[in-house]
Amino acid sequence: MDSIDIAVLRTLRDWRTAGRQAMLATVTKTWGSSPRPVGAMMALCEDGLVSGSVSGGCIEDDLIRRYASPDSFASNVGTRVVRYGIDAEEAHRFGLPCGGTLELLLEFNPEAASLDQLVQELDAGNLMQRTVNNDGQMTLEKVNAITPLSFDGQRLTIGFGPQYRMLLIGAGPLAAYLSTMALFNGFAVTVCDPRVEQLDALTVAGIQKTSAMPDDAVVQFSPDKSSCIVALSHDPKLDDLALLEALHSQAFYIGAIGSRRSSNNRRERMMTHFAETEASLQRLHSPVGIYIGSKTPAEIAVSIMAEIIAFKNGVQPLHPAIRPEILATA
């Protein structure tokens, strides 16, 4: 789950807990092109404060204008369905590209206790399904998998998962660039390096740091389906420890830096000495990153982040077998 969605729920929870009138808008359907995907959320407080977004800005402005006073929240109870961009003129007015149309479900004054329960379950790493009836009644259920949003005009069902997380092994310059990019993309980032002098030199704000041994760090990280793990140290003693644990976790992406030769050596080493197989090593992306001709640490970080985002979004990037061996050197 993207951090902006959790931020919306957390902010809405805080507003409602404080007794403030507030509304939650969720994108339930789109036609044509749209600035934000189905499931995108925006919370609007009675004083005009906004968290999240459902468009490029014009729809937010219209919602703020239409629901600018506490009385409007009180007079609108339960839920309401609104659409923007019904015709080309309105689509143009609200900045919807290519004649796009957007359908929103507005929930007025969601229950604070239920929102707090949802946020706490997500913080605990649980997958949750939220159902909202047209009268505004909300139910929560723990699930094993997130299903696509569904809305039949009377009932909204939407799944939520924990925030995406990234564990990096090795605290060098590449980790600094990659962790910064990951933070911008909504990931919570932890960097592991038992070499304390390397770890202390990493000064990226907003990340967690641990000097535990890499295999212990992976276990402590408790990788789930919203987690990715990337080995960056170039030291087999560190990278291999982490990868051997990561390969048997639920992490959606596992990668390791290195040239094609060092990557092949790693695979042979793991199969010969650690009982890994061709099948188990299929999950390992190495050399890591998509091919963009990257040479500097910053460029390599871009290629790695792009590949991780592709897998996060269910897109198959360029296959490693057909990209040149220039992402890194052993």
Side-chain angles (χ1 to χ4, degrees):
M1 182 175 180
D2 291 334
S3 60
I4 188 171
D5 295 326
I6 293 181
V8 169
L9 294 173
R10 199 182 304 279
T11 301
L12 179 63
R13 185 270 313 268
D14 292 345
W15 287 340
R16 296 294 296 130
T17 299
R20 303 171 77 179
Q21 307 276 340
M23 176 184 74
L24 178 65
T26 303
V27 178
T28 56
K29 192 178 295 185
T30 64
W31 295 265
S33 299
S34 62
R36 296 283 282 135
V38 168
M41 299 183 300
M42 162 193 161
L44 171 62
C45 193
E46 61 187 16
D47 57 5
L49 289 176
V50 172
S51 177
S53 68
V54 292
S55 79
C58 293
I59 289 176
E60 285 84 352
D61 291 344
D62 187 67
L63 289 171
I64 293 170
R65 180 186 60 79
R66 292 168 65 178
Y67 301 97
S69 68
D71 290 343
S72 69
F73 288 102
S75 61
N76 288 277
V77 296
T79 65
R80 180 180 176 188
V81 177
V82 296
R83 288 183 179 177
Y84 288 89
I86 303 301
D87 54 41
E89 181 180 350
E90 186 175 81
H92 177 74
R93 180 161 62 95
F94 288 110
L96 296 172
C98 304
T101 300
L102 204 63
E103 179 183 89
L104 305 175
L105 178 69
L106 309 183
E107 300 174 50
F108 296 93
N109 300 319
E111 185 184 50
S114 295
L115 290 169
D116 185 55
Q117 180 186 353
L118 176 57
V119 170
Q120 290 192 37
E121 294 286 359
L122 293 175
D123 286 343
N126 296 317
L127 303 181
M128 301 298 295
Q129 181 170 284
R130 180 173 181 261
T131 301
V132 181
N133 296 324
N134 60 2
D135 61 0
Q137 291 297 309
M138 178 175 69
T139 58
L140 296 174
E141 178 185 3
K142 288 184 183 179
V143 293
N144 295 321
I146 296 177
T147 57
L149 178 148
S150 66
F151 180 59
D152 61 6
Q154 300 295 317
R155 176 180 297 178
L156 169 71
T157 301
I158 182 171
F160 296 101
Q163 180 180 1
Y164 284 99
R165 298 183 298 144
M166 175 183 289
L167 174 63
L168 301 179
I169 309 300
L174 179 52
Y177 286 110
L178 183 54
S179 59
T180 299
M181 293 177 189
L183 290 171
F184 284 145
N185 282 280
F187 286 70
V189 180
T190 300
V191 178
C192 164
D193 202 320
R195 303 167 298 184
V196 178
E197 65 282 359
Q198 294 271 7
L199 195 62
D200 288 346
L202 186 65
T203 58
V204 178
I207 65 171
Q208 299 293 320
K209 298 194 290 186
T210 175
S211 60
M213 291 302 292
D215 52 342
D216 293 332
V218 173
V219 172
Q220 294 165 9
F221 189 67
S222 299
D224 55 25
K225 294 178 181 179
S226 297
S227 304
C228 62
I229 300 169
V230 187
L232 302 175
S233 78
H234 275 305
D235 185 342
K237 296 189 300 295
L238 301 181
D239 289 347
D240 287 5
L241 283 173
L243 295 172
L244 288 167
E245 283 291 343
L247 286 168
H248 300 280
S249 74
Q250 298 186 67
F252 75 88
Y253 180 93
I254 302 163
I257 199 72
S259 65
R260 190 176 305 282
R261 182 176 62 185
S262 63
S263 296
N264 289 337
N265 289 340
R266 178 189 295 114
R267 292 174 185 273
E268 291 180 8
R269 188 167 60 244
M270 288 184 165
M271 288 189 289
T272 301
H273 300 291
F274 299 103
E276 294 298 333
T277 65
E278 290 284 358
S280 67
L281 292 174
Q282 285 295 312
R283 300 189 62 210
L284 177 59
H285 301 279
S286 182
V288 70
I290 63 173
Y291 174 64
I292 58 172
S294 52
K295 298 180 183 297
T296 67
E299 291 174 347
I300 295 170
V302 170
S303 76
I304 297 172
M305 196 71 234
E307 186 169 65
I308 290 172
I309 291 174
F311 276 91
K312 166 184 170 289
N313 293 339
V315 176
Q316 181 65 48
L318 182 64
H319 193 277
I322 60 174
R323 62 190 179 201
E325 182 188 346
I326 69 171
L327 285 179
T329 57

